[in-house]
Amino acid sequence: MSKKREFISGDEAVAIGVKLSRPHVIAAYPITPQTITVERLSEMVERGELNAEYMHVESEHSAISAAMGASAVGARTFTASSSQGLLYMTEGLHYASGGRFPVVMMNANRSVALPWSIYGDQRDSLSLLDSGWIQVYVEDAQEALDMMIQAFRIAEHPDVLTPMMVNLDGFILTHTYEIVEIPEQSQVDAFLPPFQTPNKMCFDNPKNMGFSSQPNDNTEFKYQQNLAVLNAVKVLEQADTDFAAMFGRKYNGMVDEYQSADAEVLLVTLGSVTGTVRDVVDEMRAEGHKVGVIKIRYMRPFPEEQLQNLTAGAKAIGVLEKDISFGYEGTVYTNVNSALAKVGNTVPKLNFVGGLGGRDVSKADIRNMFLKLQRVAAGEAYKTVDFFNLNVETNE
Amino acid sequence: MSRPVKQNFIRPTHIEGFPVGPQFTAGHLADTNAGWRTFRPVVNHDTCIYCLRCYLVCPDGTIFKDNGKIAVDYDYCKGCGVCAHECPKNAIEMVKEQL
């Protein structure tokens, strides 16, 4: 059977992935660079290609609230946002995860004001790691489409029942075009079971939903939420395996890696920059440098054990991220460093911070990171946080 | 005019016994809630015409029929007095609670 392929943007790939997942309700407010996704979805509903209720809400706060309400009557629900819009949803994000409403969201990673910027970095979603949502970061448009389908399956699984955020880099992925394979509807239907939840408003089994808790119960609910996100590990790995069997594309669950097995220095990445790093690895390998890359896919749950194993042979490790937690270090670095500290991995670990507000992370930048890691592995002194490619002189 | 009444709540001893999130069977009242009432509504059954306006306006759903007569569930009545105010026959009197 010949496979259907289309030349589409990342935003359009997300819209098609969502459509194939047959959501009952979509509630979203447009924001650059997510807009095309929700425009396409509203067009699909308008044309009758997608049998869903598209709610034109007046804000992101309303979008997540409406999505939660729809989920509470047993509907499969989708929302999408970015940056300021995502942050405007913040209250609802905690509400949805605490209420165990498995809403699926696409987030177009974008810088956070001030200074105002519509361009990409990952400071929006990384600042929300504690909101209780499962977070996955994709590398290209195909992975974006595929992860929308997987996200519904993971989030809605009875052992998980936790909302999930699929993150893709603003503009770099949302507005660039790729050839993307479009799965068959019948196969998606076979992969994705209908949504069923114990948390459903219905006349046959009326429930008091979203109640308060006293100090003697609250910790137990939070323990349960933590368990649910940990349960997602097995569920997402199974989804990855089943997806590969049905569609022929495997993403290796929590983390992916390239040339890491014998690598002396490693870069740990998140999102679309991984593609550029793979190319630099190829170029430097051809010159005899033993370099490799580990791509974190899931920030929550966090691939602690996988990172511990994959980095065991490296002499220096760099975490490349489009984020900084002011006054300390990048959030990805903090998480990676914590995982490696638990197994006593004391090799130098550097934090390359950059690509903020849409600045390009070039092959030359990445080559410099690998070369620096090599020098540090050989004994050169280093500072943990390295704002690479600054356009000005500093006092450091 | 069925209404939820206080039931015994058995606290789960294992986390798997907890509801998935803060959701539970509706109307399972685990405790009473009337402690701040200052005046209690008392129905005069001789003047009551069973129009049920009190039932409709009670914000806490505490009005019910007891052997065919209008009654108030004092486990949950807060003493707001809306029933007495709205009664077309003045058949409900607000009587000060004796402490």
Side-chain angles (χ1 to χ4, degrees):
Chain A
M1 190 170 68
S2 71
K3 292 189 170 171
K4 190 179 166 195
R5 291 186 171 85
E6 286 186 24
F7 186 60
I8 53 176
S9 70
D11 269 347
E12 289 169 323
V14 169
I16 292 170
V18 171
K19 177 194 169 193
L20 288 167
S21 303
R22 298 187 193 271
H24 301 104
V25 174
I26 298 163
Y29 190 85
I31 180 170
T32 302
Q34 153 265 42
T35 310
I36 300 162
T37 295
V38 294
E39 281 178 353
R40 293 293 174 273
L41 283 166
S42 68
E43 288 160 9
M44 290 167 184
V45 173
E46 180 70 16
R47 285 197 298 263
E49 295 167 17
L50 172 55
N51 184 19
E53 190 74 34
Y54 189 102
M55 299 178 72
H56 294 275
V57 289
E58 80 281 15
S59 76
E60 288 85 358
H61 192 278
S62 299
I64 188 65
S65 303
M68 235 187 311
S71 184
V73 295
R76 174 168 291 162
T77 45
F78 175 75
T79 187
S81 197
S82 176
S83 180
Q84 310 300 126
L86 179 70
L87 297 181
Y88 190 24
M89 282 186 180
T90 306
E91 181 191 12
L93 298 182
H94 288 263
Y95 231 96
S97 61
R100 310 295 297 279
F101 299 120
V103 176
V104 168
M105 180 199 305
M106 167 266 213
N107 179 51
N109 280 124
R110 168 182 144 180
S111 184
V112 174
L114 284 171
W116 188 259
S117 167
I118 61 166
Y119 298 109
D121 64 40
Q122 293 162 331
R123 300 197 55 247
D124 54 357
S125 56
L126 286 174
S127 74
L128 293 166
L129 278 186
D130 292 350
S131 66
W133 284 53
I134 297 165
Q135 281 197 8
V136 68
Y137 292 76
V138 304
E139 184 180 341
D140 55 36
Q142 182 73 65
E143 190 178 0
L145 187 155
D146 292 346
M147 286 316 296
M148 297 322 303
I149 299 165
Q150 289 194 34
F152 285 105
R153 173 152 149 176
I154 296 161
E156 293 171 1
H157 192 284
D159 294 342
V160 180
L161 282 174
T162 295
M164 178 157 166
M165 190 187 296
V166 180
N167 294 281
L168 58 160
D169 282 304
F171 291 105
I172 296 172
L173 292 184
T174 58
H175 284 61
T176 54
Y177 283 67
E178 295 172 34
I179 293 175
V180 175
E181 201 172 295
I182 314 296
E184 287 293 326
Q185 182 68 65
S186 58
Q187 287 188 299
V188 176
D189 291 344
F191 174 81
L192 191 56
F195 174 40
Q196 289 185 323
T197 173
N199 297 332
K200 186 175 167 180
M201 276 182 214
C202 74
F203 290 119
D204 298 332
N205 183 22
K207 287 202 162 191
N208 177 6
M209 301 192 72
F211 51 67
S212 58
S213 79
Q214 295 298 314
N216 66 342
D217 283 328
N218 197 286
T219 311
E220 284 70 18
F221 281 115
K222 295 300 152 191
Y223 172 87
Q224 188 191 51
Q225 250 182 284
N226 189 46
L227 206 61
V229 179
L230 292 172
N231 286 345
V233 174
K234 269 189 179 168
V235 173
L236 72 89
E237 284 172 349
Q238 189 62 48
D240 190 51
T241 303
D242 293 351
F243 193 90
M246 188 162 283
F247 301 101
R249 288 183 294 280
K250 187 161 174 60
Y251 295 103
N252 299 321
M254 303 273 277
V255 289
D256 195 11
E257 62 81 32
Y258 186 62
Q259 300 278 23
S260 73
D262 65 340
E264 289 172 355
V265 296
L266 279 170
L267 268 180
V268 179
T269 59
L270 190 67
S272 64
V273 77
T274 314
T276 317
V277 179
R278 288 177 201 268
D279 286 349
V280 176
V281 167
D282 282 342
E283 290 172 11
M284 292 184 74
R285 283 266 168 181
E287 298 162 14
H289 298 281
K290 286 191 170 178
V291 296
V293 57
I294 294 167
K295 165 189 162 188
I296 294 178
R297 298 188 69 241
Y298 283 85
M299 279 301 292
R300 288 294 179 274
F302 193 69
E304 182 178 80
E305 200 182 320
Q306 292 87 339
L307 286 168
Q308 290 166 348
N309 295 334
L310 287 168
T311 57
K315 293 173 183 161
I317 299 157
V319 176
L320 164 57
E321 63 184 298
K322 300 173 182 179
D323 175 60
I324 174 71
S325 179
F326 303 115
Y328 196 33
E329 58 200 18
T331 296
V332 183
Y333 180 89
T334 304
N335 281 263
V336 172
N337 196 35
S338 169
L340 301 193
K342 286 172 192 163
V343 288
N345 185 333
T346 54
V347 303
K349 291 180 273 298
L350 279 69
N351 189 194
F352 297 108
V353 172
L356 302 178
R359 182 170 301 176
D360 187 36
V361 180
S362 69
K363 281 161 74 169
D365 292 333
I366 293 161
R367 170 179 284 266
N368 286 337
M369 289 171 207
F370 277 128
L371 293 175
K372 181 165 186 176
L373 287 170
Q374 287 175 339
R375 292 196 303 274
V376 167
E380 187 179 280
Y382 65 95
K383 284 185 73 172
T384 299
V385 176
D386 177 359
F387 271 83
F388 65 91
N389 201 10
L390 277 176
N391 285 337
V392 290
E393 295 290 318
T394 69
N395 292 326
E396 285 191 40
Chain B
M1 292 179 79
S2 67
R3 74 191 204 291
V5 293
K6 182 175 180 288
Q7 297 176 55
N8 194 23
F9 176 68
I10 300 165
R11 201 176 186 283
T13 54
H14 192 278
I15 193 69
E16 284 170 14
F18 255 66
V20 181
Q23 270 81 240
F24 197 62
T25 309
H28 189 113
L29 299 174
D31 208 348
T32 58
N33 188 357
W36 66 73
R37 186 174 60 231
T38 311
F39 293 88
R40 67 162 53 201
V42 176
V43 182
N44 182 341
H45 297 294
D46 295 332
T47 48
C48 172
I49 57 168
Y50 306 101
C51 70
L52 298 181
R53 187 179 289 189
C54 53
Y55 168 74
L56 292 173
V57 299
C58 174
D60 246 336
T62 67
I63 308 288
F64 65 106
K65 273 187 180 173
D66 186 19
N67 286 325
K69 291 183 172 177
I70 294 297
V72 180
D73 186 342
Y74 294 113
D75 278 349
Y76 299 100
C77 169
K78 312 293 185 295
C80 70
V82 171
C83 54
H85 186 269
E86 293 297 324
C87 178
K89 292 292 177 187
N90 291 323
I92 302 176
E93 187 186 357
M94 298 303 290
V95 179
K96 184 143 195 213
E97 293 282 359
Q98 299 299 312
L99 293 177

